[in-house]
């Protein structure tokens, strides 16, 4: 009788035991989420500390590579992250930040095998973030603008309101007399995923405001800067390049479908008043390979504008110091690689639109790689340092065109020198 009772208890307890173990196991599995600013991931399946993942490209025509996720329940585990698409990693693998989402690093070379990587977390690790590169969303801009030495001289205003009721920021830096000699327009994130451009932009802004030797820019030049042309895309974690039904950087012809592009087209000609000499659009290229692991300007079809780009590239090379290199010879002439007419059949780009505005001397796209610049890892700080070089080159260029008879207004100026660049075209690397 006694034995029978025990057997009965055991028979009742066994299922309970397995249920409890299953509960503990499921609670202990890694948990992935993307419900935060910039987050983007699709978990295809999970099992045995392996996660099968892919980016959410539902807004994208074709394939691209933006993803950004958080993973918790990781303490002491080795987890394998298996992506189910090609071309999802830079030469230095994924970017990651452990126990916070601020201290981003590259995982490193040769960490990715067959579209996946494993990561061994220490017992102290409770949560980690992984991303294509170093994320930059509205909170990062807030943090940057919150520094007193920035806000004292910079006016934060609204270009327009996004379809999802977000403010699309317009930053202004004006000379004290409010009668600038020239004006400069700078934009970024026509493609929401191109996050590294914003660290360069921080370097440009901080240098304009604070570098002693750049007083000319503070005294003579008015800047209008739009850090997020696709603000909703940035915050929602959408990839943005080749967005359907229309890429923001093809929205400068006919009737614009995006608020930010429509607002620029409406407001900039009046703001310029014939004084805007430079329009600069910051981008990031394809994720790896030829043309995508060095900084370059995208050559314009118009030979006069192209000559101005070449000159600016020379000035930029002169000022580029420190970890990251810039070679003016890496200029991508029109007609080479992806920079050909068929890349622009879906609409006009920002730089083509700006090139046509009255008195604009230099309208250009700059491509700044996500991770690898001639073998050197991109960091927040060296990207900002490159932004400083950009600010110096902007000053030199503006001084030159104000002094030189060979400005774009001089129609006799036809001789140009274009560096020869031999390039191949990755089927996806059409970038800006
Ligand atoms: Zn782009």
């Amino acid at each position: 009788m006694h034995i029978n009772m025990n057997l009965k208890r055991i028979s009742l307890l066994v299922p309970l035991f397995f249920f409890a173990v299953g509960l503990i196991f499921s609670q202990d599995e890694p948990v992935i989420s993307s419900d935060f600013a910039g987050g983007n991931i699709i978990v295809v399946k999970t099992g045995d500390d392996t996660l099968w993942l892919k980016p959410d490209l539902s807004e994208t025509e074709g394939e691209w590579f933006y993803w950004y996720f958080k993973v918790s329940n990781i303490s002491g585990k080795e987890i394998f992250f298996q992506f189910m698409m090609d071309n999802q990693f830079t030469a230095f693998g994924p970017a990651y930040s452990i126990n916070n989402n601020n201290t981003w690093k590259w995982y490193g070379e040769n960490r990715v095998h067959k579209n996946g990587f494993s990561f061994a977390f220490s017992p102290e690790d409770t949560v980690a973030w992984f991303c294509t590169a170093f994320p930059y969303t509205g909170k990062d801009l807030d943090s940057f603008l919150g520094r007193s030495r920035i806000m004292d001289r910079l006016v934060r205003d609204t270009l327009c309101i996004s379809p999802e009721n977000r403010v699309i920021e317009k930053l202004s830096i004006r000379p004290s007399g409010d009668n600038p000699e020239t004006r400069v327009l700078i934009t970024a994130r026509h493609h929401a995923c191109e996050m590294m451009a914003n660290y360069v932009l921080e370097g440009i802004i901080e240098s304009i405001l604070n570098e002693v030797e750049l007083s000319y820019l503070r005294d003579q030049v008015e800047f209008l800067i739009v850090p997020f042309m696709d603000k909703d895309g940035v915050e929602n974690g959408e990839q943005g390049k080749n967005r359907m039904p229309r890429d923001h950087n093809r929205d400068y012809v006919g009737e614009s479908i995006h608020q930010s592009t429509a607002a620029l087209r409406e407001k900039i000609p009046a703001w310029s008043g014939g004084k805007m000499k430079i329009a600069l659009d910051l981008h990031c290229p394809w994720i790896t390979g030829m043309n995508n692991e060095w900084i370059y300007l995208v050559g314009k079809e118009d030979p006069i504008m192209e000559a101005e780009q070449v000159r600016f590239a020379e000035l930029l090379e002169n000022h580029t110091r420190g970890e990251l290199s810039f070679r003016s010879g890496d200029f991508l002439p029109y007609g080479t690689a992806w920079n050909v007419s068929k890349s622009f059949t879906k609409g006009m780009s920002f730089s083509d639109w700006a090139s046509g505005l009255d008195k604009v001397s230099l309208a250009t796209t700059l491509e700044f790689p996500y991770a690898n610049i001639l073998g050197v890892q991109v960091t927040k700080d060296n990207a900002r340092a490159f932004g400083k070089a950009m600010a110096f080159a902007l000053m030199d260029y503006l001084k030159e065109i104000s002094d030189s008879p060979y400005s774009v207004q001089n129609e006799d100026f036809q001789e140009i020198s274009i560096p020869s660049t031999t390039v191949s075209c990755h089927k996806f690397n059409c970038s800006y």
Side-chain angles (χ1 to χ4, degrees):
M1 186 69 176
H2 181 73
I3 292 169
N4 282 348
M5 276 298 289
N6 278 346
L7 284 173
K8 196 171 181 181
R9 279 180 188 158
I10 288 168
S11 67
L12 284 170
L13 286 173
V14 165
L16 274 174
F17 172 78
F18 283 109
F19 174 74
V21 168
L23 196 63
I24 290 165
F25 182 75
S26 64
Q27 284 177 341
D28 201 36
E29 282 184 347
V31 176
I32 286 218
S33 63
S34 59
D35 57 346
F36 50 86
N40 177 317
I41 201 69
I42 293 175
V43 181
V44 179
K45 60 177 177 173
T46 64
D48 296 335
D49 284 345
T50 296
L51 299 158
W52 284 267
L53 309 168
K54 64 180 185 179
D56 182 353
L57 299 175
S58 52
E59 309 288 330
T60 304
E61 180 182 353
E63 293 184 358
W64 213 259
F65 47 76
Y66 178 71
W67 48 268
Y68 176 20
F69 63 84
K70 173 183 171 183
V71 57
S72 51
N73 280 356
I74 57 175
S75 297
K77 292 179 182 162
E78 181 165 8
I79 299 173
F80 192 74
F81 300 91
Q82 177 62 58
F83 276 69
M84 301 187 76
M85 283 177 63
D86 293 336
N87 300 310
Q88 296 301 305
F89 296 97
T90 74
F92 297 119
Y96 72 99
S97 187
I98 305 291
N99 294 327
N100 65 67
N101 67 348
N102 194 41
T103 51
W104 287 89
K105 298 172 184 170
W106 293 107
Y107 197 25
E109 251 178 317
N110 303 317
R111 297 282 199 166
V112 175
H113 302 284
K114 296 182 178 176
N115 298 325
F117 66 94
S118 64
F119 201 104
F121 298 98
S122 77
E124 291 75 35
D125 298 339
T126 57
V127 64
W129 282 258
F130 291 88
C131 185
T132 317
F134 298 179
Y136 195 105
T137 63
K139 73 176 176 56
D140 300 290
L141 181 69
D142 292 344
S143 172
F144 172 67
L145 296 179
R147 299 181 210 166
S148 60
R149 68 198 222 118
I150 299 296
M151 278 308 284
D152 287 350
R153 290 174 171 174
L154 179 146
V155 175
R156 180 177 184 160
D157 207 339
T158 301
L159 175 70
C160 60
I161 301 297
S162 77
E164 296 183 24
N165 286 320
R166 295 185 176 98
V167 169
I168 297 180
E169 295 87 356
K170 176 183 80 172
L171 311 178
S172 298
I173 304 170
R174 296 193 187 97
S176 54
D178 210 19
N179 184 29
E181 186 180 298
T182 56
R183 293 190 164 102
V184 172
L185 171 63
I186 306 176
T187 54
R189 306 295 277 277
H190 276 90
H191 300 137
C193 63
E194 293 170 3
M195 62 199 100
M196 302 307 277
N198 283 81
Y199 297 104
V200 176
L201 185 58
E202 283 194 359
I204 295 173
I205 293 170
E206 191 152 25
S207 301
I208 293 168
L209 294 173
N210 296 293
E211 285 295 322
V212 173
E213 295 173 34
L214 291 176
S215 60
Y216 173 84
L217 295 181
R218 292 187 290 278
D219 296 341
Q220 304 295 337
V221 185
E222 178 175 355
F223 289 85
L224 194 157
I225 299 161
V226 184
F228 302 117
M229 285 298 292
D230 182 5
K231 184 71 180 289
D232 286 343
V234 167
E235 296 300 315
N236 292 341
E238 293 162 4
Q239 180 279 128
K241 172 69 185 172
N242 294 330
R243 172 185 285 285
M244 297 183 292
R246 200 175 204 187
D247 185 311
H248 280 68
N249 204 28
R250 297 293 182 274
D251 198 29
Y252 288 87
V253 67
E255 189 172 345
S256 293
I257 69 166
H258 299 297
Q259 275 75 353
S260 58
T261 47
L264 276 191
R265 292 174 71 188
E266 180 195 338
K267 294 177 181 179
I268 290 302
W271 172 78
S272 166
K275 288 186 173 183
M276 186 173 83
K277 298 294 175 15
I278 299 177
L280 171 64
D281 191 23
L282 302 175
H283 286 252
C284 301
W286 179 248
I287 195 162
T288 56
M290 190 86 173
N291 290 335
N292 306 305
E293 294 179 335
W294 53 69
I295 308 164
Y296 66 97
L297 301 183
V298 183
K300 304 304 295 178
E301 185 176 10
D302 173 12
I304 295 175
M305 185 60 76
E306 188 179 45
E308 299 297 319
Q309 291 181 293
V310 168
R311 181 61 191 140
F312 180 72
E314 291 167 352
L315 295 170
L316 184 53
E317 181 174 333
N318 289 344
H319 284 292
T320 304
R321 299 180 177 85
E323 294 176 359
L324 300 181
S325 300
F326 172 74
R327 308 179 302 197
S328 56
D330 287 335
F331 188 83
L332 185 66
Y334 185 81
T336 57
W338 60 266
N339 187 18
V340 292
S341 60
K342 70 179 181 185
S343 296
F344 302 96
T345 54
K346 292 185 177 174
M348 184 180 283
S349 68
F350 168 91
S351 61
D352 279 347
W353 162 73
S355 297
L357 297 180
D358 190 30
K359 299 288 195 294
V360 168
S361 179
L362 173 68
T364 190
T365 295
L366 181 126
E367 297 282 0
F368 185 84
Y370 285 93
N372 178 15
I373 295 180
L374 299 168
V376 176
Q377 288 187 358
V378 178
T379 66
K380 294 180 183 181
D381 282 342
N382 63 26
R384 291 179 185 121
F386 178 71
K388 178 178 172 180
M390 292 281 294
F392 273 88
L394 290 170
M395 179 178 73
D396 282 3
Y397 180 83
L398 289 171
K399 283 183 172 178
E400 274 196 12
I401 61 170
S402 65
D403 296 341
S404 169
Y406 300 109
S407 68
V408 74
Q409 288 83 17
N410 186 338
E411 292 177 359
D412 295 332
F413 179 50
Q414 293 291 335
E415 279 190 34
I416 57 171
S417 168
I418 307 301
S420 62
T421 309
T422 305
V423 289
S424 62
C425 185
H426 187 287
K427 70 173 180 174
F428 291 122
N429 79 355
C430 167
S431 183
Y432 84 111

